[in-house]
PDB file of all heavy atoms in Angstrom:
ATOM      1  N   GLY A1489       2.160  35.653 -24.727  1.00 94.00           N
ATOM      2  CA  GLY A1489       1.444  34.385 -24.686  1.00 94.00           C
ATOM      3  C   GLY A1489       0.240  34.412 -25.597  1.00 94.00           C
ATOM      4  O   GLY A1489       0.052  35.336 -26.386  1.00 94.00           O
ATOM      5  N   THR A1652      15.041  25.603 -21.425  1.00 97.00           N
ATOM      6  CA  THR A1652      14.371  24.357 -21.789  1.00 97.00           C
ATOM      7  C   THR A1652      13.846  23.680 -20.532  1.00 97.00           C
ATOM      8  O   THR A1652      14.510  23.675 -19.492  1.00 97.00           O
ATOM      9  CB  THR A1652      15.318  23.417 -22.554  1.00 97.00           C
ATOM     10  OG1 THR A1652      14.653  22.156 -22.757  1.00 97.00           O
ATOM     11  CG2 THR A1652      16.603  23.177 -21.797  1.00 97.00           C
ATOM     12  N   THR A1747      23.812  25.606 -19.300  1.00 98.00           N
ATOM     13  CA  THR A1747      23.988  25.692 -17.857  1.00 98.00           C
ATOM     14  C   THR A1747      22.643  25.406 -17.187  1.00 98.00           C
ATOM     15  O   THR A1747      21.751  24.808 -17.804  1.00 98.00           O
ATOM     16  CB  THR A1747      24.542  27.073 -17.470  1.00 98.00           C
ATOM     17  OG1 THR A1747      24.778  27.114 -16.064  1.00 98.00           O
ATOM     18  CG2 THR A1747      23.585  28.185 -17.869  1.00 98.00           C
ATOM     19  N   PRO A1904     -14.430   0.515   0.131  1.00 92.00           N
ATOM     20  CA  PRO A1904     -15.036   0.831   1.433  1.00 92.00           C
ATOM     21  C   PRO A1904     -14.024   0.956   2.564  1.00 92.00           C
ATOM     22  O   PRO A1904     -14.132   1.854   3.398  1.00 92.00           O
ATOM     23  CB  PRO A1904     -15.989  -0.346   1.663  1.00 92.00           C
ATOM     24  CG  PRO A1904     -16.315  -0.836   0.286  1.00 92.00           C
ATOM     25  CD  PRO A1904     -15.072  -0.636  -0.527  1.00 92.00           C
ATOM     26  N   LEU A1913      -9.326  13.932  -5.651  1.00 96.00           N
ATOM     27  CA  LEU A1913     -10.052  15.142  -6.000  1.00 96.00           C
ATOM     28  C   LEU A1913      -9.838  15.435  -7.480  1.00 96.00           C
ATOM     29  O   LEU A1913      -8.705  15.615  -7.919  1.00 96.00           O
ATOM     30  CB  LEU A1913      -9.569  16.315  -5.147  1.00 96.00           C
ATOM     31  CG  LEU A1913      -9.772  16.152  -3.629  1.00 96.00           C
ATOM     32  CD1 LEU A1913      -9.207  17.352  -2.890  1.00 96.00           C
ATOM     33  CD2 LEU A1913     -11.251  15.960  -3.299  1.00 96.00           C
ATOM     34  N   LEU A1950       7.211  24.126   1.007  1.00 98.00           N
ATOM     35  CA  LEU A1950       8.308  24.477   1.909  1.00 98.00           C
ATOM     36  C   LEU A1950       7.931  25.598   2.861  1.00 98.00           C
ATOM     37  O   LEU A1950       8.163  25.515   4.072  1.00 98.00           O
ATOM     38  CB  LEU A1950       9.541  24.882   1.092  1.00 98.00           C
ATOM     39  CG  LEU A1950      10.119  23.823   0.151  1.00 98.00           C
ATOM     40  CD1 LEU A1950      11.204  24.435  -0.735  1.00 98.00           C
ATOM     41  CD2 LEU A1950      10.686  22.648   0.949  1.00 98.00           C
ATOM     42  N   LEU A1993       9.959   3.251  -0.952  1.00 97.00           N
ATOM     43  CA  LEU A1993       8.965   4.259  -0.598  1.00 97.00           C
ATOM     44  C   LEU A1993       8.103   3.783   0.572  1.00 97.00           C
ATOM     45  O   LEU A1993       7.892   4.525   1.549  1.00 97.00           O
ATOM     46  CB  LEU A1993       8.096   4.559  -1.821  1.00 97.00           C
ATOM     47  CG  LEU A1993       6.933   5.539  -1.644  1.00 97.00           C
ATOM     48  CD1 LEU A1993       7.425   6.903  -1.190  1.00 97.00           C
ATOM     49  CD2 LEU A1993       6.153   5.657  -2.957  1.00 97.00           C
ATOM     50  N   ARG A2016      11.278  15.718  16.767  1.00 95.00           N
ATOM     51  CA  ARG A2016      12.096  15.359  15.595  1.00 95.00           C
ATOM     52  C   ARG A2016      11.447  15.867  14.311  1.00 95.00           C
ATOM     53  O   ARG A2016      12.122  16.346  13.402  1.00 95.00           O
ATOM     54  CB  ARG A2016      12.284  13.848  15.503  1.00 95.00           C
ATOM     55  CG  ARG A2016      13.297  13.263  16.472  1.00 95.00           C
ATOM     56  CD  ARG A2016      13.754  11.888  16.007  1.00 95.00           C
ATOM     57  NE  ARG A2016      12.641  10.953  15.908  1.00 95.00           N
ATOM     58  CZ  ARG A2016      12.522  10.038  14.936  1.00 95.00           C
ATOM     59  NH1 ARG A2016      13.424   9.970  13.973  1.00 95.00           N
ATOM     60  NH2 ARG A2016      11.495   9.194  14.930  1.00 95.00           N
ATOM     61  N   PRO A2125      36.521  19.550 -16.790  1.00 95.00           N
ATOM     62  CA  PRO A2125      37.669  19.240 -17.647  1.00 95.00           C
ATOM     63  C   PRO A2125      38.778  20.273 -17.441  1.00 95.00           C
ATOM     64  O   PRO A2125      38.527  21.419 -17.065  1.00 95.00           O
ATOM     65  CB  PRO A2125      37.091  19.329 -19.069  1.00 95.00           C
ATOM     66  CG  PRO A2125      35.622  19.198 -18.907  1.00 95.00           C
ATOM     67  CD  PRO A2125      35.289  19.776 -17.577  1.00 95.00           C
TER      68      PRO A2125
END
Side-chain angles (χ1 to χ4, degrees):
T1652 174
T1747 183
L1913 299 178
L1950 299 172
L1993 177 60
R2016 283 199 300 142

